[in-house]
Amino acid sequence: MIKKNIYTISQVNSYIAQMFKSDYLLKSLLVRGEVSNCKYHSSGHIYFTLKDEKGAISCIMFASKRNGLDFTLKEGQQVILHGTVDVFVRDGKYQIYAEEILLDGQGDLHEKYEKLKEELEEMGMFDQTYKQNIPRYIERLGVVTAQTGAAIQDIIQIVTRRNPYVQIILYPAIVQGEQAVPSIVEGIRQLEASKVDTLIVGRGGGSIEDLWAFNEREVVQAIFDCRIPIISAVGHETDTTLADYVADLRAPTPSAAAELAVYDYEELEERLDSYRIMVTRGIKRKLDMTRQEVERRKFRLVQISPTNRLREQKMYMLRLEELLDTKMKQVLTDKQHALSILIERMKGLSPLEKLGQGYGYLSSKDGQAMKDIKQVSVGDEVCIHMVNGEIEAKVLKKKSVKRG
Amino acid sequence: MGTKKMEKITIEVIFEQIEEVIDQLEDSEVTLEDSFKSYQEGMKLLKQCNDKIDRIEKEMIVLSQVGEDNE
């Protein structure tokens, strides 16, 4: 043995460590395996072994890297680990320094989603017939979401603006990671029991893994079973989870869910006012109509009253009297007229007229008119009447003459 | 039972009833007595609706996660 170069253990280990550090692959790699010997140290570091059928490797996740793990690491879990392989110089031991650990199978999330969706759809869980109506006027709004998330802030803001009188009851749920499913389910059950009017279940945006709890069967079932109407509000408009399909109403965002759940107070006041006006106007119109009806009846009653009939008859009588008078006067005038015509005609026929034309007539002494020669004898005294006097005469001779 | 049922009536239901009352008031065949009844009913419903709206601004209630119903 040539004792040319003798190194210390730490020199060897450091050298090896150097080799590891210069290796491109070991700086960042993904390893799949099963978790065993898992220990959570009080310092916050997690020590465990990753193994498969053919081998095992020690792993450590430092407390400073814990945000790369969103579930509780347990024995037997199949995981995919992202990290660096490095040497622990003191012990001459290489191990994986984990940066991020995911449950294995999450790569197949999309496939899992489609499969469960199809199954639930076939069961009829997304059927419109099961959808409950979202009540319009509510007093109590239940919210299942993270207490510290943006979703609840958005909801509070919208509700306060639209209607500050609505009571929000929040169940502070864990919305991602391993605890999310039981937490969301518990939240739905508790709020159902506390008799809210409507429930919003959701969270703000995130990756498909972040939203995953809303694709789990238990959550979907809890939403389906809940007898209080549920509005889902998961992530952004483009994210559609199975919770959205099963919910009674899907809102694209938590803000939109709040708009849908809570009525606008001003609008309600306006509606109340308009109802008040309509009801008052209705009875006023009815009263007016009735008053008019009363007036009409009153008028008719006055018309058929005895006083009124008496007055009418009196007036009729006066009219008749007047008519009679007029008619009578008319008759008199007519008769007078006829009389004057007769007088004129009589004048034409008067014998005195004839006397005026040079004729005279003969009468006996005692005034008897003589019309025939036989009425007189010779020697009789007669009287001749002229227009302006009488002549006494004695018949001297008589002779009959045939005229004509 | 009766009063309990009254408490459960929602504003929506009250609005439906008010609309019925308005329809009755607009019906010229209805007698004046019935119209007065409708009017009184309408006013009562409006008051009921008004009373139902609890105009007190609310602070959010946060339930405990332990699972007790702290209502």
Side-chain angles (χ1 to χ4, degrees), chain B residues 50-67:
Chain B
N50 211 42
D51 292 347
K52 251 191 109 58
I53 307 162
D54 159 18
R55 291 180 181 79
I56 296 166
E57 295 197 13
K58 307 292 190 307
E59 285 292 321
M60 183 169 78
I61 295 171
V62 180
L63 295 181
S64 69
Q65 283 190 37
V66 193

Side-chain angles (χ1 to χ4, degrees), chain B residues 17-68:
Chain B
Q17 291 173 347
I18 293 176
E19 273 170 27
E20 266 174 47
V21 163
I22 291 169
D23 284 348
Q24 277 163 8
L25 279 171
E26 275 169 1
D27 184 353
S28 52
E29 299 294 305
V30 175
T31 65
L32 186 63
E33 280 86 348
D34 286 344
S35 292
F36 266 120
K37 270 182 212 153
S38 293
Y39 173 71
Q40 276 167 348
E41 175 71 15
M43 281 303 169
K44 200 184 87 194
L45 286 167
L46 279 165
K47 185 176 181 301
Q48 197 181 335
C49 189
N50 211 42
D51 292 347
K52 251 191 109 58
I53 307 162
D54 159 18
R55 291 180 181 79
I56 296 166
E57 295 197 13
K58 307 292 190 307
E59 285 292 321
M60 183 169 78
I61 295 171
V62 180
L63 295 181
S64 69
Q65 283 190 37
V66 193
E68 278 130 349

Side-chain angles (χ1 to χ4, degrees), chain A residues 134-137 139-140 147 152 156 164-174 183 186 190-191 193-194 263 265 268-269 271-272 275-276 278-280 282-283 285-287 289-290, chain B residues 10-12 15 18-19 21-22 25-32 35-36 38-39 42-43 46 49-50 52-69 71:
Chain A
I134 308 299
R136 180 145 177 207
Y137 301 102
E139 287 160 38
R140 289 152 65 85
Q147 188 169 8
I152 188 64
I156 291 171
Y165 311 126
V166 165
Q167 175 70 65
I168 302 175
I169 303 171
L170 172 70
Y171 180 87
I174 298 163
S183 175
E186 177 61 21
Q190 270 204 47
L191 283 170
S194 64
Y263 67 95
Y265 177 73
L268 175 90
E269 279 287 295
R271 196 161 166 192
L272 267 177
Y275 278 145
R276 210 166 280 135
M278 280 196 270
V279 169
T280 313
I283 191 71
R285 194 173 34 231
K286 186 82 204 173
L287 274 171
M289 269 166 54
T290 313
Chain B
T10 62
I11 293 176
E12 254 164 327
F15 276 175
I18 293 176
E19 273 170 27
V21 163
I22 291 169
L25 279 171
E26 275 169 1
D27 184 353
S28 52
E29 299 294 305
V30 175
T31 65
L32 186 63
S35 292
F36 266 120
S38 293
Y39 173 71
M43 281 303 169
L46 279 165
C49 189
N50 211 42
K52 251 191 109 58
I53 307 162
D54 159 18
R55 291 180 181 79
I56 296 166
E57 295 197 13
K58 307 292 190 307
E59 285 292 321
M60 183 169 78
I61 295 171
V62 180
L63 295 181
S64 69
Q65 283 190 37
V66 193
E68 278 130 349
D69 189 0
E71 255 301 291

